[in-house]
Amino acid sequence: MKQLYVVGTGPGAMDLVAPRAIEAIKLSTDLVAYGLYLDLLGSVCEGKNRHDLPLGEEIERARLALNLAAQGKITALVSSGDIGIYAMATLVFELLDQQLSGKEDSPQWLEVDIEVVPGISAMQAGAAKIGAMLGHDFCTISLSDLLTPWQTIEKRLHACGQGDFVVSFYNPRSKKRDWQINTARDILLQYRPHSTPVLLGRQLTREDESVTITTLDKLHSDDVDMFTLVSVGNSESRHIMNNDKQWVYTPRGYSKKL
């Protein structure tokens, strides 16, 4: 049996890891991941052969996982969130595509059975924390220009604004990228009110979680780091409060029926 599980483990809390993800990891002999993702899983990873590769070695992780599976080792390639959203699943299939196109020399990969196991994404976890921010049409945009040219990202930001989509920003800031989130804010301010609600969710569902609701005009890179999810409502998103409780939701148009 040549099996590769491509597993998303959710935002961090163990009770948000899908049962199928736990089962896939238990069935595996070898786990490939950035080490923190396995640490968060705790005892589920005991007795497994861990292959921890640092951030920046995503291609190496995907290659290693495919090679281990091709050798007959039941392997799980693990990532936080949903592994198909800005994560490792796409690399696995890109490498397979390269092999089928004759650009790789690893025919053994084509004998591997692959199962992708989805997980709860950060944008879902964040929206749930504050109510129903993703209640209507939404999109996600990565602000990292390491793999995507900024001109392309900027075009998508304008399209998001023109379409009035709720948007969740991934990779909003890093040590070397501190201006993109402010530029994204300024573009969206061309299309929606200054008072548009914004969620800042840092380390969502983990021990040092922090959740802040602010407004689009107050969104600033100083309040964001690489562990922060930024979600911006659309022109109709509502921030409501009841004493010490507050929520954000995006209506779907039921007011016409209420």
Side-chain angles (χ1 to χ4, degrees), residues 15 111 165 174 186 191 195 210 216 255:
D15 56 358
E111 300 175 3
F165 292 100
S174 69
D186 292 342
Y191 302 97
S195 59
S210 67
L216 184 56
S255 60

Side-chain angles (χ1 to χ4, degrees), residues 133-186:
M133 196 169 195
L134 304 179
H136 207 344
D137 297 336
F138 64 89
C139 67
T140 64
I141 298 177
S142 171
L143 294 182
S144 172
D145 57 358
L146 294 177
L147 300 175
T148 303
W150 178 253
Q151 292 85 349
T152 299
I153 297 171
E154 192 170 32
K155 184 188 301 182
R156 291 171 180 169
L157 288 167
H158 280 285
C160 168
Q162 292 167 356
D164 200 24
F165 292 100
V166 175
V167 57
S168 293
F169 291 124
Y170 284 72
N171 307 308
R173 179 178 175 171
S174 69
K175 293 180 180 178
K176 296 181 179 180
R177 296 184 301 100
D178 60 359
W179 58 269
Q180 285 91 339
I181 187 64
N182 289 345
T183 301
R185 173 203 63 206
D186 292 342

Side-chain angles (χ1 to χ4, degrees), residues 22-181:
I22 297 293
E23 181 183 7
I25 292 169
K26 288 182 176 180
L27 289 171
S28 300
T29 60
D30 290 70
L31 307 178
V32 180
Y34 171 51
L36 172 63
Y37 302 152
L38 300 182
D39 292 340
L40 288 170
L41 291 170
S43 62
V44 177
C45 300
E46 290 180 0
K48 309 295 182 182
N49 298 316
R50 287 180 50 154
H51 306 269
D52 299 6
L53 278 75
L55 292 175
E57 296 190 12
E58 287 77 19
I59 295 175
E60 290 80 0
R61 266 183 262 157
R63 287 184 182 278
L64 176 59
L66 282 165
N67 284 330
L68 288 169
Q71 294 166 18
K73 299 177 180 179
I74 302 176
T75 303
L77 177 60
V78 178
S79 183
S80 65
D82 184 301
I83 200 163
I85 300 177
Y86 302 120
M88 295 298 301
T90 183
L91 259 177
V92 170
F93 293 107
E94 189 166 358
L95 286 172
L96 291 177
D97 191 8
Q98 294 275 307
Q99 175 59 37
L100 290 167
S101 303
K103 298 176 183 177
E104 288 280 345
D105 186 23
S106 299
Q108 70 274 13
W109 293 347
L110 302 180
E111 300 175 3
V112 175
D113 289 327
I114 299 173
E115 178 184 338
V116 180
V117 182
I120 294 173
S121 67
M123 65 178 174
Q124 291 172 291
K129 283 286 180 180
I130 61 169
M133 196 169 195
L134 304 179
H136 207 344
D137 297 336
F138 64 89
C139 67
T140 64
I141 298 177
S142 171
L143 294 182
S144 172
D145 57 358
L146 294 177
L147 300 175
T148 303
W150 178 253
Q151 292 85 349
T152 299
I153 297 171
E154 192 170 32
K155 184 188 301 182
R156 291 171 180 169
L157 288 167
H158 280 285
C160 168
Q162 292 167 356
D164 200 24
F165 292 100
V166 175
V167 57
S168 293
F169 291 124
Y170 284 72
N171 307 308
R173 179 178 175 171
S174 69
K175 293 180 180 178
K176 296 181 179 180
R177 296 184 301 100
D178 60 359
W179 58 269
Q180 285 91 339
I181 187 64

Side-chain angles (χ1 to χ4, degrees), residues 200-215:
L200 302 179
R202 188 178 188 278
Q203 296 281 42
L204 288 163
T205 81
R206 302 178 187 179
E207 289 185 2
D208 52 347
E209 172 189 85
S210 67
V211 175
T212 303
I213 300 172
T214 184
T215 54

